[in-house]
Amino acid sequence: MALIILTSARRLRSACRLQRIQGHVMSTKAGSEVLFEKVGNAGVITLNRPKALNALNLTMIRHIYPQLKKWDKDSETDLVIIKGAGDKAFCAGGDIRAITEAGKAGDSLTQDLFREEYILNNTIGTYQKPYVALIDGITMGGGVGLSIHGRFRVATEKTLFAMPETGIGLFPDVGGGYFLPRLQGKLGLFLALTGFRLKGRDVQRVGLATHFVQSDKIVSLQKDLVDLKSPSNSDVAQLLDSYQEQSCLDAEKPFVLQEQTEAIDRLFSAGSVEEIMENLKKDGSAFALKQTETLAKMSPTSLKLTFRQIQEGERMSLQEVLVMEYRLSQACMRGNDFYEGVRAVLIDKDQSPKWKPSTLSGVSEQAIEECFSSLGERDLKL
């Protein structure tokens, strides 16, 4: 009511200004879980849940998607930068607990979050303007989806990349079926099944990041990025290249899997997960035995889903992969292992999930086939 009865023009102007500020603050949602700002001609997105390692939830997705669409059409926005708040994570994944609770309650969040997240992944993958993800910290699951499909991904020595979903009864989604089989040899399948973690410069070496820049240069890099005038992709690439050339940290350190690359290609070249397990057991090396132990802890259903997902995804477009992965996400929501995996790993933390079925042989081809079946009207539409 107070605003209505203000008569002074000066006070009215001041009230309008306050309203605009409040409108901007409100647009970033209560608690400001994601922040948007225009710096020069750059749109900057900051994932702002540092205490939760910037985990991605539906509210954040529902703010990022329209903002990206708006900036794409805006003639005064030349590039987009996305980063995480705090010094630990870019984004450590999706809001798994919320999805678990929703699934148990039969809430539509189990459909909405996956659907809207995959639509956002596709928007990033088809974005017309330069899109730069500064993955300076933990980058897993949903955080990979916000970065990997963009034109530029900048890793630092603090980057920790992993797709650990088979350990919680899921599969490496957010387009994992697209980018993982396109890595060299069988590396993508290895990362997908085992959840192996890559760090720092290695993330760039395998092609998951386009550039490696030392963490202490990121603030300066961001300033130089926003100062670019109407940059093309090649202008952005040139700037990132120059920063990479100045970043010598760990350059002499060999790739963590350098000595195992040949073994990974050989042991993971197989027609099924069972064959991979057989190869590993026959090989008997310390590396092979370690992978056998790792895979034995994972959900057998997840391993088989993931194997087929990577196999199919090799021949698919990103859009086709996301449609496939939405079907798989809904199959996981209907099943047992996702809820059991989250309980064992994130809630009770006893690290002893009771998978159903508990063995690879117990997971039938028919059960896997059904997970890949069309959802008809409920299929993901891009």
Short mmCIF file of all heavy atoms in Angstrom, two decimals, residues 165-200:
data_model
loop_
_atom_site.label_atom_id
_atom_site.label_comp_id
_atom_site.label_asym_id
_atom_site.label_seq_id
_atom_site.Cartn_x
_atom_site.Cartn_y
_atom_site.Cartn_z
N GLU A 165 28.05 -43.05 -11.03
CA GLU A 165 26.65 -43.46 -10.86
C GLU A 165 26.41 -44.95 -10.67
O GLU A 165 25.43 -45.35 -10.04
CB GLU A 165 25.81 -42.95 -12.05
CG GLU A 165 25.58 -41.45 -12.05
CD GLU A 165 26.72 -40.64 -12.65
OE1 GLU A 165 27.74 -41.25 -13.06
OE2 GLU A 165 26.62 -39.41 -12.72
N THR A 166 27.26 -45.82 -11.25
CA THR A 166 26.99 -47.27 -11.11
C THR A 166 27.07 -47.70 -9.65
O THR A 166 26.51 -48.73 -9.28
CB THR A 166 27.97 -48.11 -11.96
OG1 THR A 166 29.31 -47.79 -11.58
CG2 THR A 166 27.76 -47.89 -13.45
N GLY A 167 27.74 -46.90 -8.81
CA GLY A 167 27.85 -47.20 -7.39
C GLY A 167 26.61 -46.84 -6.59
O GLY A 167 26.49 -47.22 -5.42
N ILE A 168 25.67 -46.11 -7.21
CA ILE A 168 24.41 -45.79 -6.52
C ILE A 168 23.20 -46.27 -7.32
O ILE A 168 22.10 -45.74 -7.17
CB ILE A 168 24.27 -44.29 -6.17
CG1 ILE A 168 24.42 -43.40 -7.42
CG2 ILE A 168 25.24 -43.89 -5.09
CD1 ILE A 168 23.90 -41.99 -7.23
N GLY A 169 23.41 -47.28 -8.17
CA GLY A 169 22.26 -47.86 -8.87
C GLY A 169 21.71 -47.00 -9.99
O GLY A 169 20.56 -47.14 -10.38
N LEU A 170 22.55 -46.09 -10.52
CA LEU A 170 22.15 -45.27 -11.67
C LEU A 170 23.06 -45.63 -12.85
O LEU A 170 23.60 -46.72 -12.92
CB LEU A 170 22.25 -43.79 -11.33
CG LEU A 170 20.99 -43.03 -10.92
CD1 LEU A 170 21.31 -41.58 -10.61
CD2 LEU A 170 19.89 -43.11 -11.98
N PHE A 171 23.24 -44.68 -13.76
CA PHE A 171 24.11 -44.86 -14.92
C PHE A 171 24.67 -43.47 -15.23
O PHE A 171 24.10 -42.46 -14.80
CB PHE A 171 23.31 -45.41 -16.11
CG PHE A 171 22.18 -44.50 -16.52
CD1 PHE A 171 22.34 -43.58 -17.56
CD2 PHE A 171 20.96 -44.51 -15.84
CE1 PHE A 171 21.33 -42.71 -17.90
CE2 PHE A 171 19.93 -43.63 -16.17
CZ PHE A 171 20.12 -42.73 -17.20
N PRO A 172 25.79 -43.37 -15.95
CA PRO A 172 26.37 -42.05 -16.22
C PRO A 172 25.53 -41.27 -17.23
O PRO A 172 25.70 -41.39 -18.43
CB PRO A 172 27.77 -42.37 -16.76
CG PRO A 172 27.66 -43.75 -17.30
CD PRO A 172 26.63 -44.46 -16.47
N ASP A 173 24.61 -40.48 -16.72
CA ASP A 173 23.62 -39.83 -17.59
C ASP A 173 24.10 -38.45 -18.06
O ASP A 173 25.28 -38.30 -18.36
CB ASP A 173 22.25 -39.77 -16.89
CG ASP A 173 22.22 -38.86 -15.67
OD1 ASP A 173 23.28 -38.64 -15.05
OD2 ASP A 173 21.12 -38.37 -15.32
N VAL A 174 23.22 -37.48 -18.14
CA VAL A 174 23.50 -36.12 -18.65
C VAL A 174 24.30 -36.14 -19.95
O VAL A 174 25.16 -35.30 -20.19
CB VAL A 174 24.17 -35.20 -17.58
CG1 VAL A 174 23.23 -35.02 -16.39
CG2 VAL A 174 25.52 -35.72 -17.09
N GLY A 175 24.02 -37.13 -20.80
CA GLY A 175 24.73 -37.24 -22.08
C GLY A 175 25.99 -38.08 -22.02
O GLY A 175 26.78 -38.08 -22.97
N GLY A 176 26.19 -38.83 -20.94
CA GLY A 176 27.35 -39.71 -20.83
C GLY A 176 27.43 -40.70 -21.97
O GLY A 176 28.52 -41.05 -22.44
N GLY A 177 26.27 -41.12 -22.45
CA GLY A 177 26.22 -42.04 -23.59
C GLY A 177 26.73 -41.42 -24.88
O GLY A 177 27.01 -42.12 -25.85
N TYR A 178 26.86 -40.09 -24.89
CA TYR A 178 27.38 -39.40 -26.06
C TYR A 178 28.87 -39.12 -25.93
O TYR A 178 29.67 -39.47 -26.80
CB TYR A 178 26.62 -38.08 -26.27
CG TYR A 178 27.09 -37.32 -27.50
CD1 TYR A 178 26.70 -37.73 -28.77
CD2 TYR A 178 27.93 -36.22 -27.38
CE1 TYR A 178 27.14 -37.05 -29.90
CE2 TYR A 178 28.38 -35.54 -28.50
CZ TYR A 178 27.97 -35.96 -29.76
OH TYR A 178 28.42 -35.30 -30.87
N PHE A 179 29.29 -38.49 -24.81
CA PHE A 179 30.70 -38.07 -24.74
C PHE A 179 31.66 -39.18 -24.31
O PHE A 179 32.81 -39.19 -24.72
CB PHE A 179 30.87 -36.82 -23.86
CG PHE A 179 30.58 -36.99 -22.40
CD1 PHE A 179 31.53 -37.51 -21.53
CD2 PHE A 179 29.35 -36.60 -21.87
CE1 PHE A 179 31.27 -37.66 -20.18
CE2 PHE A 179 29.08 -36.73 -20.51
CZ PHE A 179 30.05 -37.27 -19.67
N LEU A 180 31.19 -40.15 -23.53
CA LEU A 180 32.12 -41.20 -23.06
C LEU A 180 32.61 -42.13 -24.18
O LEU A 180 33.82 -42.38 -24.27
CB LEU A 180 31.49 -41.98 -21.90
CG LEU A 180 31.38 -41.20 -20.58
CD1 LEU A 180 30.46 -41.90 -19.59
CD2 LEU A 180 32.76 -40.99 -19.95
N PRO A 181 31.73 -42.64 -25.06
CA PRO A 181 32.25 -43.51 -26.12
C PRO A 181 33.12 -42.79 -27.15
O PRO A 181 33.77 -43.43 -27.97
CB PRO A 181 30.99 -44.10 -26.78
CG PRO A 181 29.88 -43.20 -26.40
CD PRO A 181 30.26 -42.57 -25.10
N ARG A 182 33.14 -41.46 -27.09
CA ARG A 182 33.96 -40.69 -28.03
C ARG A 182 35.36 -40.39 -27.48
O ARG A 182 36.15 -39.75 -28.15
CB ARG A 182 33.21 -39.40 -28.43
CG ARG A 182 32.09 -39.72 -29.43
CD ARG A 182 31.02 -38.64 -29.54
NE ARG A 182 30.06 -38.99 -30.57
CZ ARG A 182 29.05 -39.86 -30.40
NH1 ARG A 182 28.89 -40.47 -29.24
NH2 ARG A 182 28.22 -40.13 -31.39
N LEU A 183 35.64 -40.84 -26.26
CA LEU A 183 37.00 -40.74 -25.74
C LEU A 183 37.85 -41.83 -26.40
O LEU A 183 37.32 -42.76 -27.00
CB LEU A 183 37.01 -40.91 -24.21
CG LEU A 183 36.22 -39.87 -23.40
CD1 LEU A 183 36.35 -40.15 -21.91
CD2 LEU A 183 36.66 -38.45 -23.70
N GLN A 184 39.16 -41.72 -26.26
CA GLN A 184 40.06 -42.65 -26.95
C GLN A 184 39.90 -44.09 -26.47
O GLN A 184 39.78 -44.35 -25.27
CB GLN A 184 41.51 -42.20 -26.72
CG GLN A 184 42.44 -42.74 -27.78
CD GLN A 184 43.82 -42.10 -27.69
OE1 GLN A 184 44.00 -41.10 -27.02
NE2 GLN A 184 44.79 -42.69 -28.35
N GLY A 185 39.90 -45.01 -27.41
CA GLY A 185 39.85 -46.44 -27.09
C GLY A 185 38.66 -46.79 -26.21
O GLY A 185 37.54 -46.37 -26.47
N LYS A 186 38.92 -47.56 -25.16
CA LYS A 186 37.86 -48.00 -24.25
C LYS A 186 37.85 -47.20 -22.95
O LYS A 186 37.24 -47.61 -21.97
CB LYS A 186 38.05 -49.50 -23.93
CG LYS A 186 37.78 -50.41 -25.11
CD LYS A 186 36.30 -50.38 -25.48
CE LYS A 186 36.01 -51.14 -26.76
NZ LYS A 186 34.58 -51.03 -27.14
N LEU A 187 38.53 -46.03 -22.97
CA LEU A 187 38.61 -45.22 -21.76
C LEU A 187 37.23 -44.81 -21.24
O LEU A 187 36.96 -44.87 -20.04
CB LEU A 187 39.47 -43.97 -22.01
CG LEU A 187 39.62 -43.02 -20.82
CD1 LEU A 187 40.34 -43.70 -19.66
CD2 LEU A 187 40.34 -41.75 -21.23
N GLY A 188 36.35 -44.40 -22.15
CA GLY A 188 35.00 -43.96 -21.76
C GLY A 188 34.22 -45.06 -21.07
O GLY A 188 33.57 -44.82 -20.05
N LEU A 189 34.28 -46.26 -21.62
CA LEU A 189 33.58 -47.40 -21.02
C LEU A 189 34.16 -47.70 -19.64
O LEU A 189 33.43 -47.96 -18.68
CB LEU A 189 33.68 -48.63 -21.93
CG LEU A 189 33.00 -49.91 -21.42
CD1 LEU A 189 31.50 -49.71 -21.24
CD2 LEU A 189 33.28 -51.09 -22.36
N PHE A 190 35.49 -47.65 -19.55
CA PHE A 190 36.18 -47.88 -18.27
C PHE A 190 35.72 -46.86 -17.22
O PHE A 190 35.35 -47.23 -16.09
CB PHE A 190 37.70 -47.78 -18.49
CG PHE A 190 38.51 -47.71 -17.22
CD1 PHE A 190 38.71 -48.85 -16.45
CD2 PHE A 190 39.06 -46.50 -16.79
CE1 PHE A 190 39.45 -48.78 -15.26
CE2 PHE A 190 39.80 -46.43 -15.62
CZ PHE A 190 39.99 -47.57 -14.85
N LEU A 191 35.70 -45.57 -17.58
CA LEU A 191 35.27 -44.52 -16.64
C LEU A 191 33.80 -44.71 -16.25
O LEU A 191 33.43 -44.52 -15.09
CB LEU A 191 35.45 -43.13 -17.27
CG LEU A 191 36.88 -42.68 -17.58
CD1 LEU A 191 36.86 -41.33 -18.31
CD2 LEU A 191 37.73 -42.57 -16.31
N ALA A 192 32.98 -45.10 -17.23
CA ALA A 192 31.54 -45.26 -17.00
C ALA A 192 31.24 -46.40 -16.02
O ALA A 192 30.41 -46.25 -15.12
CB ALA A 192 30.83 -45.52 -18.33
N LEU A 193 31.91 -47.52 -16.20
CA LEU A 193 31.63 -48.70 -15.37
C LEU A 193 32.25 -48.59 -13.97
O LEU A 193 31.63 -48.96 -12.98
CB LEU A 193 32.13 -49.97 -16.05
CG LEU A 193 31.44 -50.37 -17.36
CD1 LEU A 193 32.13 -51.59 -17.98
CD2 LEU A 193 29.95 -50.66 -17.16
N THR A 194 33.48 -48.08 -13.90
CA THR A 194 34.22 -48.08 -12.63
C THR A 194 34.04 -46.81 -11.80
O THR A 194 34.29 -46.82 -10.61
CB THR A 194 35.73 -48.26 -12.87
OG1 THR A 194 36.22 -47.11 -13.59
CG2 THR A 194 36.04 -49.53 -13.64
N GLY A 195 33.65 -45.70 -12.45
CA GLY A 195 33.56 -44.42 -11.75
C GLY A 195 34.93 -43.84 -11.42
O GLY A 195 35.06 -42.97 -10.56
N PHE A 196 35.97 -44.31 -12.12
CA PHE A 196 37.35 -43.87 -11.87
C PHE A 196 37.44 -42.34 -11.93
O PHE A 196 36.83 -41.71 -12.79
CB PHE A 196 38.29 -44.49 -12.92
CG PHE A 196 39.75 -44.23 -12.67
CD1 PHE A 196 40.49 -45.07 -11.86
CD2 PHE A 196 40.39 -43.13 -13.24
CE1 PHE A 196 41.85 -44.83 -11.61
CE2 PHE A 196 41.74 -42.88 -13.00
CZ PHE A 196 42.46 -43.73 -12.18
N ARG A 197 38.23 -41.77 -11.00
CA ARG A 197 38.34 -40.31 -10.91
C ARG A 197 39.57 -39.79 -11.64
O ARG A 197 40.67 -40.30 -11.43
CB ARG A 197 38.43 -39.90 -9.43
CG ARG A 197 37.17 -40.26 -8.67
CD ARG A 197 37.32 -40.00 -7.18
NE ARG A 197 36.02 -40.10 -6.55
CZ ARG A 197 35.66 -39.46 -5.44
NH1 ARG A 197 36.53 -38.68 -4.82
NH2 ARG A 197 34.46 -39.59 -4.93
N LEU A 198 39.37 -38.80 -12.46
CA LEU A 198 40.49 -38.12 -13.12
C LEU A 198 40.68 -36.76 -12.47
O LEU A 198 39.71 -36.11 -12.08
CB LEU A 198 40.18 -37.93 -14.61
CG LEU A 198 40.18 -39.20 -15.48
CD1 LEU A 198 39.68 -38.87 -16.87
CD2 LEU A 198 41.57 -39.82 -15.55
N LYS A 199 41.93 -36.32 -12.36
CA LYS A 199 42.21 -35.06 -11.68
C LYS A 199 43.04 -34.12 -12.55
O LYS A 199 43.85 -34.57 -13.36
CB LYS A 199 42.98 -35.34 -10.38
CG LYS A 199 42.18 -36.12 -9.36
CD LYS A 199 43.03 -36.49 -8.16
CE LYS A 199 42.23 -37.37 -7.20
NZ LYS A 199 43.04 -37.91 -6.11
N GLY A 200 42.83 -32.83 -12.32
CA GLY A 200 43.69 -31.79 -12.89
C GLY A 200 43.92 -31.88 -14.38
O GLY A 200 43.00 -32.03 -15.18
#
